[in-house]
Amino acid sequence: MQVWALIVDSFRDAIDRKIFWIMLVLSAATAGAMACVSFDAEGVNVLFGTWHIDSEFYAVGSETGRSAIAATIIKIVFDLSIGWVGIILALIATAGMVPAMMSPGAVDILVSKPMSRHKLFFGKYVGAMAFVLMQATVFVFLTTFVAGWRWKCWILELLWLIPLTVLLFSYVYGFCALFGVLTRNAMASLLLTLVAWVGVWAPQTLYETFVTFEEQIDPDQRYQRAVGALKWVLPKTQDIPLIAGKLAGAALMSDVIATESGTVTDGKKEPTIDPRQAEERLSDVNIAVSIASSLAFEGVLVAAASILFRRKDF
Amino acid sequence: MTLQVTEITNLAIDLIGVRKTYRKKVQALRGVNVQVGRGEIFGLLGPNGAGKSTLVKIMMRVVRADAVMGTVLGRPLGNKNKLAVTGYLPESHRFPGYLTGMQVLDFYAALARVPRPVRRSRAPGLLDRMGLTRWADRPTREYSKGMLQRLGISQALMNDPELIVLDEPTDGLDPMGRRDVRSMLLELKKAGKTIFLNSHLLSELEMVCDRVAILNEGLVARQGTLAELTQRTVEYRIRTSGDLQAIRGEIEKRSGTIRNGQIVLGGRDAQGVNELIDLLRQNGHLIEAVEPHRLSLEDIFVEALGQSTAAPAVSQTGGRKA
Ligand SMILES: Nc1ncnc2c1ncn2[C@@H]1O[C@H](COP(=O)(O)OP(=O)(O)O)[C@@H](O)[C@H]1O
Ligand SMILES: [Mg+2]
């Protein structure tokens, strides 16, 4: 009952913020924009026949057309959920929750209730997750449905992105909650979280670089091992798209990886990793180990935050 | 069944040796003892910074004491089952602005483990009693300070508490609101509740409290029933016409003193008063008034803080802010 009340309260808190509605509008707008586009035998049909772009690449019926459409869908849905856009919006919406709970005058009543401070903190934490779960569900359902309905391409595996978005968010929110307790300031904890996110991202990217250019810059694998260890301890945020790709279907795997780690020049993707290598990497990812070790790190952050919260005098 | 033995004590609050030093610097409480009987309205009085809120926060687990012994409602401090039957209104509390009055009551009562049907049935009555019915479905960010205070008190009553702890309950209320709170406190007392209240408004405590403690610089300077504290000293004041300086020696011989043109006789000495009156009559003074004077709580308060009760400027002001 108590945790449920805290979750409901987190929702009310979130709904009260503009960002909540911005996120819903963005979800609807994305789905709406997708619905304005359809594909036929000759190419792309925009705004129900207003424009027609002849394209063999996107033509329905051809093998390349199907996979091109699927790749586009995946690109859109991936980028806006487990890409940085969705996560940053979710952080903006939730970064203030812990500081608000701890604000003078508000915290007094909360901590005087017959529940442990750990439970109180946990309830608030889960509340933020529940909010992101709701937003992710709306977005993924809408886009998946529109893709199936208008683009005739049902990829139900995309629904995996709902839990994966929450998971990725939770990796990052662990930092946010800790900084929230430390600074008691929404903006400060948001900025520090972004810094931490970069700090988590860097070793993963560096590791890839050292692996790829091993012969040139790191012949005795010293850096590779050091960064690898760091990467192993920290949350593996960049495994999420790989896991998503793995779950969304093996046929689309290389597309996904090219999309995720490629650079775009002149409208063409230039994968930094060639697809074969990418597939290799993908099969390298042990989903259970990746998630478990990341959650362990998140657990340490949340435990630290909760202990600090418990010890505080207000 | 051994547990029940402690329940039998008729003290709702029995705290011994409460100490608290903030950040190794500010000594807020330096060994405070407080005893509050069940069914009593107890007032904690003291100047700003005396440590009143700190003591309450320690009772409500908001702040952790460095040292504390004793019980609240017969259980060690912070017992969850006892917190569930305690209502608390913090000093300058804030509710999330997005919650409506009704949602505030429901949310905090849920955290206090009040079952939903009970919350549903209890909230409208409390809002009504506090005159907030019309505002029940408005977000609290639109509330005035007085309305927030009344909502805060309702919030503290949602779990039908045995013990009600109120930190400056009349803060931000207008005189009418204050009177409402006072009558509500008396009503709650009739219903058998124990009330612990912090206030810097002396007159407020005087009107409702059975017992008070005066806290100064982290120590209890006085503690007792209002009668005990105020009847401890009584003085008589005799107002006369004419110049008293001529018979000053005679007055002082009869242990009277001249203050502000009046003769003041300490103690409850009616015999002494009559001797003084005889003296005045013999010397042709006209007696205008003889007033027995009980020390007010304020006099006690000022005295407890180590100042002189004799200063006339102090005894003239009513309900001074502490
Ligand atoms: N959270 C805190 N951190 C540091 N010092 C505090 C804190 N709360 C109160 N104090 C100090 O402790 C003393 C007692 O404060 P308080 O209990 O609020 O007094 P009162 O309620 O009687 O005005 C004051 O000197 C105050 O500055
Ligand atoms: Mg105070």
Side-chain angles (χ1 to χ4, degrees):
Chain A
M1 178 168 81
Q2 291 167 322
V3 170
W4 177 247
L6 288 166
I7 291 174
V8 171
D9 184 59
S10 300
F11 260 90
R12 289 183 174 141
D13 184 350
I15 290 170
D16 188 55
R17 293 162 199 259
K18 281 201 193 70
I19 191 82
F20 174 88
W21 302 102
I22 293 175
M23 287 170 86
L24 280 187
V25 166
L26 281 180
S27 292
T30 308
M34 284 170 70
C36 291
V37 176
S38 64
F39 301 93
D40 53 34
E42 275 90 46
V44 188
N45 181 344
V46 183
L47 271 179
F48 314 98
T50 311
W51 289 292
H52 195 277
I53 303 161
D54 291 335
S55 161
E56 277 176 31
F57 189 60
Y58 278 110
V60 167
S62 75
E63 197 49 46
T64 57
R66 278 206 63 78
S67 71
I69 292 167
T72 308
I73 293 168
I74 286 173
K75 167 94 178 133
I76 292 170
V77 184
F78 271 42
D79 273 9
L80 292 178
S81 58
I82 55 177
W84 58 269
V85 179
I87 300 299
I88 285 184
L89 287 175
L91 279 176
I92 293 171
T94 53
M97 286 183 179
V98 169
M101 169 179 75
M102 292 175 70
S103 67
V107 73
D108 308 57
I109 310 184
L110 290 173
V111 299
S112 71
K113 296 299 172 192
M115 64 194 298
S116 72
R117 288 198 189 181
H118 287 311
K119 193 170 174 186
L120 174 60
F121 190 81
F122 178 76
K124 272 280 159 183
Y125 195 81
V126 172
M129 295 302 142
F131 163 76
V132 175
L133 174 65
M134 180 243 134
Q135 289 283 4
T137 305
V138 168
F139 175 76
V140 175
F141 258 107
L142 274 181
T143 48
T144 304
F145 174 76
V146 169
W149 168 52
R150 295 285 297 158
W151 296 11
K152 305 284 175 286
C153 188
W154 289 98
I155 312 177
L156 291 182
E157 288 86 352
L158 284 178
L159 299 182
W160 278 110
L161 287 175
I162 297 171
L164 286 174
T165 304
V166 178
L167 186 66
L168 175 58
F169 171 76
S170 85
Y171 290 176
V172 184
Y173 197 64
F175 287 102
C176 194
L178 178 59
F179 292 135
V181 172
L182 288 173
T183 64
R184 298 205 222 176
N185 179 300
M187 187 51 79
S189 59
L190 176 62
L191 292 176
L192 286 169
T193 303
L194 294 180
V195 171
W197 194 7
V198 172
V200 166
W201 168 83
Q204 303 176 76
T205 304
L206 275 177
Y207 182 75
E208 295 309 330
T209 312
F210 286 132
V211 172
T212 314
F213 301 103
E214 188 183 301
E215 280 127 60
Q216 290 100 308
I217 56 175
D218 190 21
D220 49 4
Q221 298 192 347
R222 220 179 323 141
Y223 298 119
Q224 189 180 321
R225 251 180 266 131
V227 175
L230 195 58
K231 168 184 130 108
W232 204 92
V233 173
L234 293 172
K236 282 153 256 332
T237 52
Q238 286 180 65
D239 282 359
I240 297 284
L242 302 177
I243 294 168
K246 208 168 186 175
L247 294 169
L252 305 161
M253 285 191 313
S254 48
D255 268 329
V256 171
I257 291 170
T259 314
E260 281 308 309
S261 52
T263 48
V264 179
T265 1
D266 302 332
K268 277 196 172 165
K269 282 193 276 317
E270 282 182 2
T272 46
I273 309 161
D274 74 276
R276 240 173 309 127
Q277 199 188 339
E279 260 172 67
E280 239 168 64
R281 236 185 79 203
L282 200 51
S283 47
D284 275 354
V285 176
N286 181 328
I287 296 182
V289 170
S290 169
I291 293 180
S293 61
S294 302
L295 284 179
F297 189 87
E298 181 188 345
V300 170
L301 292 179
V302 175
S306 190
I307 288 168
L308 285 174
F309 176 64
R310 194 175 75 90
R311 288 185 166 184
K312 227 167 186 117
D313 285 337
F314 294 102
Chain B
M1 285 297 102
T2 46
L3 279 176
Q4 238 137 33
V5 175
T6 48
E7 285 263 39
I8 289 167
T9 168
N10 62 348
L11 288 179
I13 298 172
D14 181 15
L15 295 179
I16 301 151
V18 189
R19 288 174 186 281
K20 175 67 191 179
T21 305
Y22 286 109
R23 295 197 202 104
K24 302 199 171 83
K25 280 200 294 266
V26 188
Q27 278 202 358
L29 297 175
R30 303 182 291 158
V32 165
N33 302 329
V34 211
Q35 277 73 38
V36 179
R38 281 184 195 255
E40 214 170 60
I41 303 187
F42 183 92
L44 186 63
L45 191 57
N48 278 333
K52 305 183 296 295
S53 295
T54 301
L55 184 62
V56 160
K57 284 178 174 183
I58 285 170
M59 270 166 31
M60 299 311 300
R61 285 200 320 180
V62 178
V63 161
R64 293 192 311 170
D66 300 333
V68 60
M69 283 187 298
T71 56
V72 172
L73 296 174
R75 289 278 186 281
L77 210 61
N79 176 291
K80 289 206 190 81
N81 291 328
K82 293 304 169 186
L83 283 172
V85 289
T86 305
Y88 172 45
L89 171 76
E91 187 178 28
S92 53
H93 64 280
R94 284 218 317 251
F95 295 125
Y98 50 84
L99 292 181
T100 66
M102 190 62 95
Q103 287 170 341
V104 162
L105 295 191
D106 190 74
F107 171 55
Y108 290 107
L111 296 186
R113 304 199 298 219
V114 179
R116 175 189 288 257
V118 179
R119 304 200 301 262
R120 288 282 150 87
S121 66
R122 206 171 273 162
L126 280 170
L127 288 170
D128 185 45
R129 190 142 142 217
M130 283 293 169
L132 292 171
T133 303
R134 274 195 317 128
W135 291 80
D137 296 319
R138 306 294 313 160
T140 55
R141 66 162 68 91
E142 295 173 9
Y143 282 32
S144 70
K145 183 136 194 287
M147 287 159 64
L148 285 173
Q149 195 68 7
R150 281 180 281 159
L151 185 62
I153 295 172
S154 314
Q155 179 275 134
L157 299 178
M158 270 298 283
N159 55 343
D160 189 25
E162 286 173 35
L163 170 66
I164 303 157
V165 179
L166 307 167
D167 200 344
E168 310 282 0
T170 54
D171 203 26
L173 294 184
D174 54 24
M176 288 293 279
R178 292 188 174 176
R179 207 188 53 189
D180 289 349
V181 169
R182 277 198 301 270
S183 65
M184 200 179 62
L185 293 180
L186 293 171
E187 225 176 276
L188 289 166
K189 180 190 145 120
K190 248 186 232 152
K193 318 280 185 204
T194 308
I195 300 164
F196 185 107
L197 101 128
N198 274 359
S199 182
H200 59 244
L201 291 172
L202 300 155
S203 50
E204 224 121 69
L205 294 184
E206 255 171 326
M207 271 183 254
V208 293
C209 289
D210 301 305
R211 285 184 349 110
V212 296
I214 297 172
L215 196 64
N216 187 31
E217 292 175 0
L219 284 171
V220 173
R222 294 275 191 287
Q223 181 162 210
T225 65
L226 267 181
E228 273 165 23
L229 289 181
T230 54
Q231 280 172 6
R232 186 173 50 84
T233 345
V234 172
E235 61 184 22
Y236 285 96
R237 294 179 184 174
I238 306 170
R239 203 162 65 223
T240 63
S241 67
D243 186 21
L244 294 169
Q245 293 308 326
I247 52 166
R248 188 186 193 114
E250 290 297 314
I251 291 171
E252 280 171 1
K253 223 186 265 170
R254 289 167 178 80
S255 16
T257 48
I258 298 173
R259 191 200 303 159
N260 251 18
Q262 292 186 343
I263 301 167
V264 178
L265 182 68
R268 309 167 71 176
D269 183 8
Q271 184 64 41
V273 171
N274 280 292
E275 283 171 17
L276 275 170
I277 291 173
D278 290 343
L279 171 77
L280 291 165
R281 285 248 178 86
Q282 281 158 21
N283 289 280
H285 288 274
L286 190 67
I287 312 276
E288 286 175 353
V290 180
E291 293 167 3
H293 187 77
R294 274 176 62 179
L295 286 186
S296 70
L297 184 56
E298 180 172 335
D299 297 329
I300 305 287
F301 179 64
V302 173
E303 185 191 270
L305 303 193
Q307 288 162 16
S308 164
T309 38
V314 172
S315 43
Q316 294 304 305
T317 48
R320 218 168 48 112
K321 268 203 169 191

